[in-house]
Amino acid sequence: MNRRTLLRLGLAAGGVGIVGVGWPLGQTMLGQSDPGRLLRSQAVLPPPYRSMLPVPPRLSPLASDATTDFYAITQRVADLAILPGLSTRAWTYDGTFPGPTIVSRTGRRTVIRHHNALPVPVAVHLHGGHTPPDSDGYPLDLITPATGGSPAGHDGMADDMMRNSVVEQREYVYPMRQRAATLWYHDHRMGYTGEAVWRGLAGFHIVQDDEEDALPLPHGARDIPLMITDRSFAADGSFQYPAIDGGGVAALYMNGVLGDVVLVNGAPWPVLETDPVRYRFRVLNASNARRYRLALEPQPPGGSALVQIGSDGGLLTSPVTHDAIDIAPAERFDVVVDFSRYAPGTRVRLINALETGSTADVMRFDIVGTDRSDESTVPERLSDGVMALERSHATATRTFLFGQGRAGMWTINNKPHKPGVPAATPRLGDIEVWRFITDIRHPIHVHLNHFQVLSRNDKAPGRYDRGWKDTVDVAPSGAVEVIIRFSDYHGTYLVHCHNLEHEDMAMMADFVTI
Ligand code: C2O
Ligand code: CU
Ligand code: CU
């Protein structure tokens, strides 16, 4: 049953929908813990480390006034050079993948006018944004193409659900009342997010503030965002994705689509030539379903190569060192690497220790530069912005079960997503504890407000849970508690699994702030 059929049935049934049977905790119907199925490329793949790491272009504002910076992005088809000798037809923001990087300042409004010149409807979501509901990219708030008028693929939708769709262009307004952080923007169209992101609709959106600017961290050309995605290529070089008519993914791939090529900033297994100094890397896993265990190979003498300074929601209180970082889809880890710890000329691979084969390689740093001047340091105190939220201050505790439903759907609390039916109605100003309980592994994301991880399986949070988060990876048969303060903006938001195939197959729920 595809997404469209399901929605039609759900809506036609007048709000009853398809309710899955209860699933017993700890028993998975899938028999595997890391979900996903490999879709092998048909194209001839290049050996790793043949292309240079691209850094996405920074978008300049069209205009700026005392309070606001105005931008425009055209979403269009573009032919990209990713594999040697082939071109890859992609869906892009402004012709590139990743899309252009937007840089905002805390407290200054960012307004982005998106023009849709793609042949499909789109919805733009700023992931990690503290955004009013009408600019949050709710999956039915579409920008439909100028040609083709009606929102194709959504003929099952009740009209009132489609009331926020517009034709051809939409202005997204981001007040940016939030701290410095590495955010990202991506497509969020109902039932098609997995396909749209896979085909190229993702980019960085970085927020900067005075607190962070005052720190002596690596900056400028030594502050580099790394968008990691796995992809699969058809023989002609195009991205292959097992979409089905009406939205969602072929049943075989409903656990998640995995590719056999690792792209960093859109290039396969690229190389960055570095000086023997410190660099800041804003690492984003923008893969649909793949999780990585990132490590440097070789490790520098003494290990602890990855100095984490920030997470999804910005700087940590103080740095934390890692030999390896587990990163689930949509998570960000902001790390500093000091290449002066290696002998000059060393080639350091960034590997994925969860895999063998082509996806065990990610990229390589060749320490061939000779500029040893480095004024950067990583201070022991990074930020005052991460004060712990107290469980005793919570006014509600809510439980969300993430599991497989009937007929190949994914569910939250045994229900596939039903737009307009909130699973929670937190009051603005309140602090709540949300418990996420899983069958198999799910990376769980909450819109609107960042949260802190309170516990994992009733124990202390894990080593990757620090700081403000908006996405938390929950292991199979896991229970993670997060604590959230709902600060402002009334309206409808989403909590969902960020395995994009799970999301498209209905593992999503509305919540309404009241
Ligand atoms: Cu990055 Cu609702 O998603
Ligand atoms: Cu989001
Ligand atoms: Cu999931």
Side-chain angles (χ1 to χ4, degrees), residues 287-352:
S287 305
N288 284 33
R290 184 180 289 283
R291 194 168 64 103
Y292 302 80
R293 178 165 297 158
L294 300 174
L296 294 181
E297 180 61 46
Q299 297 261 350
S304 297
L306 304 168
V307 180
Q308 187 190 353
I309 58 168
S311 58
D312 304 340
L315 291 173
L316 306 181
T317 303
S318 28
V320 187
T321 59
H322 305 277
D323 287 335
I325 287 178
D326 286 6
I327 185 168
E331 285 188 304
R332 284 88 73 210
F333 284 84
D334 203 332
V335 298
V336 172
V337 175
D338 184 357
F339 292 111
S340 77
R341 297 179 65 196
Y342 290 94
T346 308
R347 295 168 156 191
V348 183
R349 293 186 305 143
L350 181 66
I351 61 159
N352 169 22

Side-chain angles (χ1 to χ4, degrees), residues 125 127-128 184 186 188 330 445 447 494 496 498 500 503 508:
H125 172 58
H127 182 121
W184 61 300
H186 63 77
H188 216 305
H445 171 50
H447 285 215
L494 292 166
H496 63 85
H498 220 289
L500 297 182
E503 175 183 336
M508 187 151 66

